[in-house]
Amino acid sequence: MDDVKIGEILLPGDEATQTRRENSVRSKFWPTMKRAARYVPFSRDVVAAYYCAMDPTTPTRVRGVLLAALGYFVLPIDVVPDFLAVVGFTDDVAVLAAAFRMIQTHIKDSHHEAADEALAADPAMTTAPAADGSRF
């Protein structure tokens, strides 16, 4: 994926776009994460990003970038279809890595701690940590 395409994907969007993305991410994140956990080399950071995006104290622009990246991650159809096992998540990893570089100072220790708890609760990622997927 080239930088232009990733840049387009990571646009924060307006409030309506962010709300739509948040609803999509809330409903699809854990099932997608369960399928992708063994293919994504930085699963802890992806889960921490999820908690950061759902944290109401996270700045709006940062939430927008994270929701855009996580929204791309949970989309069933993207540049490289996710059902192609290892190769299928490479474009998702590229988008997530770009987002992390943009907002890394906003992911707090509490987000990483929440990620650690979620991953420790089920190392195989077979169940979500909470019924609604939220921590904050």
Side-chain angles (χ1 to χ4, degrees), residues 7-86:
E8 292 172 7
I9 292 168
L10 294 178
L11 291 174
D14 60 14
E15 189 173 330
T17 300
Q18 284 194 24
T19 300
R20 189 180 74 252
R21 286 178 179 160
E22 181 176 348
N23 291 336
S24 177
V25 169
R26 280 189 187 274
S27 67
K28 298 176 184 172
F29 178 78
W30 291 110
T32 302
M33 192 63 218
K34 290 173 205 173
R35 286 192 321 274
R38 64 179 161 236
Y39 304 116
V40 177
F42 46 91
S43 295
R44 178 181 187 246
D45 293 321
V46 174
V47 177
Y50 170 82
Y51 285 118
C52 183
M54 298 303 145
D55 185 346
T57 66
T58 299
T60 302
R61 182 183 173 284
V62 173
R63 282 176 45 93
V65 168
L66 286 173
L67 288 170
L70 292 169
Y72 186 80
F73 176 66
V74 301
L75 279 175
I77 299 172
D78 51 31
V79 176
V80 180
D82 295 340
F83 66 83
L84 295 175
V86 176

Side-chain angles (χ1 to χ4, degrees), residues 68-126:
L70 292 169
Y72 186 80
F73 176 66
V74 301
L75 279 175
I77 299 172
D78 51 31
V79 176
V80 180
D82 295 340
F83 66 83
L84 295 175
V86 176
V87 178
F89 287 104
T90 57
D91 59 322
D92 300 318
V93 169
V95 169
L96 290 165
F100 295 161
R101 280 195 305 271
M102 292 172 64
I103 56 82
Q104 64 189 0
T105 59
H106 294 280
I107 297 181
K108 302 173 187 172
D109 289 341
S110 61
H111 302 137
H112 280 106
E113 290 167 8
D116 291 341
E117 288 176 21
L119 293 169
D122 189 349
M125 292 301 299
T126 57

